[in-house]
Amino acid sequence: QLVESGGGLVQAGGSLRLTCTASSRTLGLGAVGWYRQAPGERRALVGSINSRGGTNYVDSVKGRFAISRDNAKSQVYLQMNNLRPEDTAVYYCNAGGTWISTDYTQGDYWGQGTQVTVSS
């Protein structure tokens, strides 16, 4: 019900835009989170967006990543700029979660993930 796209190989300092596409029933007008999982590490929240477009990010990506959404297309985007090798991971979108005071709690819907590799 969620499909990520837009991953790939990019050099450090480059940019990528990931897209999370969902059925309107899944995405609705609810909050969405972007997560990433590097090899040997746990899946971790990168940032999230609420139904009104409010966003929140972890410190390591603030100023470099931006999340936006187009409810008419049932899509959420993760624009990643000034990428670093440490951003290399599989990126997942998550839906069905809750947004309370800028904190996103994951929901039950996950995509299959898209690989982002940043070379130095």
Side-chain angles (χ1 to χ4, degrees), residues 9-27:
L9 173 64
V10 64
Q11 290 187 332
S15 298
L16 285 173
R17 188 177 85 153
L18 307 184
T19 300
C20 174
T21 302
S23 65
S24 59
R25 181 177 180 180
T26 301
L27 199 61

Side-chain angles (χ1 to χ4, degrees), residues 6-9 16 18 37 39 87-91 113-118:
L9 173 64
L16 285 173
L18 307 184
Q37 186 169 19
D87 295 319
T88 295
V90 178
Y91 284 72
T114 185
Q115 176 71 47
V116 171
T117 303
V118 184

